[in-house]
């Protein structure tokens, strides 16, 4: 099932970015962003829409 991923980098002027990805990819991406401390917040929920872009480079997080 696809999930909505919201990524906030905490950079002034950069909006929260919204993507969609399979649940396992979204979870792996969020864990890696938290581990690397690359984003202020990464949240995952079920409010995904087809209008959202797919997560860039999601193949890196596929298992």
């Amino acid at each position: 099932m696809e999930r909505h991923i919201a990524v906030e980098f905490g950079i002034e002027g950069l909006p929260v970015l919204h993507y969609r990805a399979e649940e396992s990819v979204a979870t792996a991406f969020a864990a890696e962003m938290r581990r690397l401390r690359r984003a202020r917040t990464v949240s995952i929920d079920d409010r995904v829409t087809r209008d959202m872009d797919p997560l860039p480079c999601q193949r890196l997080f596929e298992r």
Side-chain angles (χ1 to χ4, degrees):
M1 174 187 316
E2 283 196 322
R3 296 293 186 187
H4 164 238
I5 305 166
V7 183
E8 181 182 1
F9 288 99
I11 299 171
E12 188 174 331
L14 184 64
V16 175
L17 304 175
H18 299 273
Y19 299 109
R20 61 182 166 86
E22 287 298 320
E23 186 170 14
S24 62
V25 170
T27 302
F29 171 78
E32 190 66 7
M33 289 295 103
R34 290 178 185 124
R35 184 183 76 78
L36 295 173
R37 298 182 181 158
R38 296 290 183 188
R40 179 185 287 172
T41 60
V42 178
S43 59
I44 302 169
D45 60 45
D46 62 354
R47 295 178 295 191
V48 65
T49 68
R50 283 286 177 208
D51 295 334
M52 293 175 181
D53 290 330
L55 179 68
C57 303
Q58 64 181 315
R59 290 175 58 191
L60 295 173
F61 303 98
E62 291 176 352
R63 297 179 188 210

